[in-house]
Amino acid sequence: MNRPTLLAAAAAAALTANPAAAQQHNHNDAPPAQTQPQAQPQAQPQAQPQPAPQTAPSAPVKEHPEGHGSDHHGEGHHGEGHGGGHHGEDHHGGHHGAGDHGGMNHGGMDHGGMNHGEAPSPAPQDHSQHGGMAMPGASPAPDGGAIAWGSGTSRLPAAEAGGHGLHIASGDWMLMAHGTLWGVYTDQDGPRGDDMAFVESMAMLTAERDLGAGARLQLRTMLSLEPAMGDAGYPNLFAAGETAGGQPLVDRQHPHDLFMELAARVDFDLGGSTSLFLYGGPVAEPALGPSAFMHRRSARYLALAPITHHWFDSTHITYGVVTAGYATPRFQIEASAFRGQEPDERRWNIETPKLDSWSVRASWTPTANWLAQVSYGRLKQPEAQHAGQDEGRLTASVQYSSGGFSAMAAFSAKNRLPGPTRTAWVAEANWDLSDHHSLFGRIENVSNDELFPDHGHPLHDQAFRVTRFEAGYAYRLKLGPAALALGGSLAAYAKPGALDADYGTGLLSPTLFARLSLGE
């Protein structure tokens, strides 16, 4: 046996006896690759992750087929970065395939003690967990891509993927808990405005496990105590689309239901980074529109719901959903059957599920930073104010995320059947300037004919195009597994002069908030 072979054999024996040393050697420890051509077969077996301390800990886990993870006002940290983002919004436990991790960003890891010479390196490790925490929401692709998940089965830019919430391993199950709690004060200006202090909340619990044969199960629960604020919700100028006490709710935002999601998802690995999935439950979200506003990183510190909510994501709480889809790292196509009617005023109960409406959605992730989706749905009598009218809804959106910056631009058209078509636009962004400072904003433009529900009003049923501008600042503090954000925003409006007599002029609406989140 020649000298290089003897050296390689001795090194392999030493690594087997002391696995921690195999993960702490530096650039100077490895002899030049050309002097030991026989070393590669010997070094390969030592690539398995070990429990011994290392510079960037990586706990061994089962390799998952490409699957689902998600959101929703939720955040994550991405120091170990799968896809490059560092404040992602997806919160359902995502799956990490067994594919190549070469496209992942490991900028947050200390590589100073690793061998980067041309000597053989260990086989790829599963980085789906770091320090014992699962990293949901990312599925690495062989070409360096990744998948990040939003609300329901929607996607986010892959740069927003990462770990979120508290993760607990229990036997074959991985549990994840995440939540947000807001204290908000808003003063909506003008004669139709109002001021109010209120609390918004959301809590999520996700459990997932392997089923064998390339299948993986995920169970989801999302709850809110917002019904406690009352049926009339909180003031929000130019918002419309719901009822309270049997009357149309105008210039106010309704609260969310107690049960925001009670659903399950099963992913079936087809190999080659492709999968089929089934999703649904008594309370779920169909494949229609972009990820719901409270789950988008671009809307993280916007305390009030968008006035375009009923154009883009009013179906995010739907009683009765079944969705089937085909997914690759770059593309996803899916179709849903669901109940078209929106939740009623009784926010504490679970309404009767139905499957009387349908939708289709295609999503494209060309790079880790970009996501585009287009979707269409046919909804059966969705709104109580328009009894007997179905709706055809078209949405299209583009989202971008890189580093601390996230943005979205979207368009939607609602065609009442029979009736007119009303359109809406929204653009929003969040920019984390540093570890503590963030700027955010949103611009909305909507054609709304529900501002004057009184049949005796001369402007009843007339459509008015209104634009809302909002900008704000948040100061962020890390509190262990939780995070606190203190901030505020100011909204201004552009509207037709015909509305001045009812709404006033020069409207300015300030909002202050304290936002506590678990898992940011």
Side-chain angles (χ1 to χ4, degrees):
M1 184 178 297
N2 57 36
R3 182 179 179 184
T5 304
L6 288 172
L7 288 174
L15 292 177
T16 303
N18 186 6
Q23 301 185 29
Q24 296 177 350
H25 54 282
N26 58 36
H27 295 269
N28 298 324
D29 293 334
Q34 63 269 24
T35 65
Q36 45 176 340
Q38 304 300 322
Q40 293 190 20
Q42 300 294 333
Q44 291 272 353
Q46 311 309 321
Q48 300 301 320
Q50 300 294 333
Q54 47 184 300
T55 305
S58 178
V61 295
K62 298 177 181 179
E63 293 182 338
H64 302 169
E66 177 182 329
H68 184 81
S70 169
D71 161 312
H72 310 330
H73 280 294
E75 292 61 49
H77 52 275
H78 305 278
E80 279 85 27
H82 292 258
H86 70 128
H87 286 286
E89 294 275 342
D90 55 299
H91 305 294
H92 299 310
H95 307 145
H96 295 261
D100 182 8
H101 291 244
M104 298 187 302
N105 172 14
H106 295 276
M109 296 175 61
D110 180 4
H111 290 266
M114 297 179 64
N115 178 6
H116 295 281
E118 296 184 13
S121 58
Q125 299 183 16
D126 183 353
H127 291 272
S128 60
Q129 288 196 5
H130 289 270
M133 286 187 65
M135 301 288 286
S139 296
D143 58 357
I147 298 170
W149 302 100
S151 59
T153 55
S154 65
R155 288 188 171 188
L156 296 168
E160 297 188 15
H164 315 282
L166 298 179
H167 295 74
I168 303 171
S170 178
D172 293 332
W173 290 90
M174 175 60 71
L175 308 178
M176 187 276 286
H178 176 83
T180 56
L181 181 67
W182 295 70
V184 183
Y185 172 78
T186 188
D187 185 2
Q188 299 291 290
D189 200 4
R192 291 182 54 151
D194 195 4
D195 69 303
M196 181 176 174
F198 56 95
V199 175
E200 297 174 310
S201 62
M202 179 184 66
M204 296 179 57
L205 180 64
T206 300
E208 63 175 309
R209 60 165 296 166
D210 286 319
L211 297 177
R216 188 162 185 83
L217 170 67
Q218 185 179 91
L219 305 176
R220 305 186 201 168
T221 300
M222 181 161 49
L223 306 172
S224 174
L225 292 179
E226 290 181 17
M229 76 171 66
D231 293 342
Y234 58 82
N236 191 10
L237 280 180
F238 300 105
E242 291 283 344
T243 62
Q247 299 300 314
L249 195 61
V250 182
D251 299 313
R252 300 187 72 90
Q253 173 62 36
H254 65 86
H256 287 117
D257 285 30
L258 169 64
F259 296 99
M260 298 178 68
E261 187 176 32
L262 292 173
R265 172 168 172 153
V266 180
D267 289 89
F268 304 93
D269 183 21
L270 302 180
S273 298
T274 63
S275 65
L276 295 175
F277 63 86
L278 291 174
Y279 163 83
V283 190
E285 178 180 332
L288 182 60
S291 183
F293 69 90
M294 74 287 297
H295 307 294
R296 300 192 296 259
R297 188 174 123 185
S298 55
R300 175 186 295 172
Y301 300 119
L302 288 156
L304 306 187
I307 62 174
T308 53
H309 171 51
H310 280 262
W311 274 256
F312 292 99
D313 44 27
S314 62
T315 57
H316 76 102
I317 301 176
T318 296
Y319 289 100
V321 175
V322 176
T323 299
Y326 172 79
T328 76
R330 299 299 186 194
F331 183 77
Q332 178 170 291
I333 183 73
E334 53 193 319
S336 297
F338 60 97
R339 192 181 90 157
Q341 183 183 358
E342 295 175 359
D344 60 24
E345 299 177 23
R346 295 180 292 276
R347 305 289 178 181
W348 295 101
N349 66 338
I350 297 178
E351 300 174 33
T352 303
K354 294 180 182 179
L355 299 177
D356 57 13
S357 305
W358 59 268
S359 66
V360 292
R361 178 170 60 195
S363 303
W364 180 45
T365 310
T367 72
N369 304 110
W370 291 93
L371 170 75
Q373 73 82 30
V374 61
S375 55
Y376 180 81
R378 181 70 178 259
L379 290 72
K380 183 175 180 61
Q381 302 185 30
E383 298 188 11
Q385 295 186 60
H386 299 279
Q389 288 184 317
D390 292 349
E391 181 182 303
R393 184 182 303 179
L394 172 69
T395 81
S397 62
V398 176
Q399 292 174 261
Y400 176 80
S401 182
S402 179
F405 181 79
S406 276
M408 185 193 77
F411 167 80
S412 177
K414 295 198 308 182
N415 180 19
R416 296 196 191 111
L417 303 169
T421 297
R422 304 299 181 204
T423 59
W425 300 81
V426 62
E428 62 189 25
N430 182 84
W431 186 13
D432 295 333
L433 302 174
S434 67
D435 289 342
H436 298 291
H437 305 284
S438 294
L439 298 177
F440 57 90
R442 176 187 284 148
I443 300 175
E444 305 174 77
N445 179 275
V446 60
S447 175
N448 196 335
D449 59 5
E450 299 177 342
L451 299 177
F452 299 94
D454 182 358
H455 288 255
H457 197 286
L459 301 181
H460 174 67
D461 274 354
Q462 291 191 36
F464 297 95
R465 188 162 287 280
V466 176
T467 304
R468 184 176 187 269
F469 308 87
E470 184 176 8
Y473 165 81
Y475 180 77
R476 312 189 326 268
L477 293 170
K478 189 72 176 174
L479 304 174
L484 177 66
L486 304 174
S489 63
L490 184 66
Y493 311 85
K495 55 182 174 44
L499 297 179
D500 290 350
D502 292 274
Y503 280 90
T505 60
L507 303 177
L508 293 174
S509 300
T511 299
L512 301 176
F513 67 84
R515 177 181 183 274
L516 182 66
S517 62
L518 176 65
E520 180 163 338

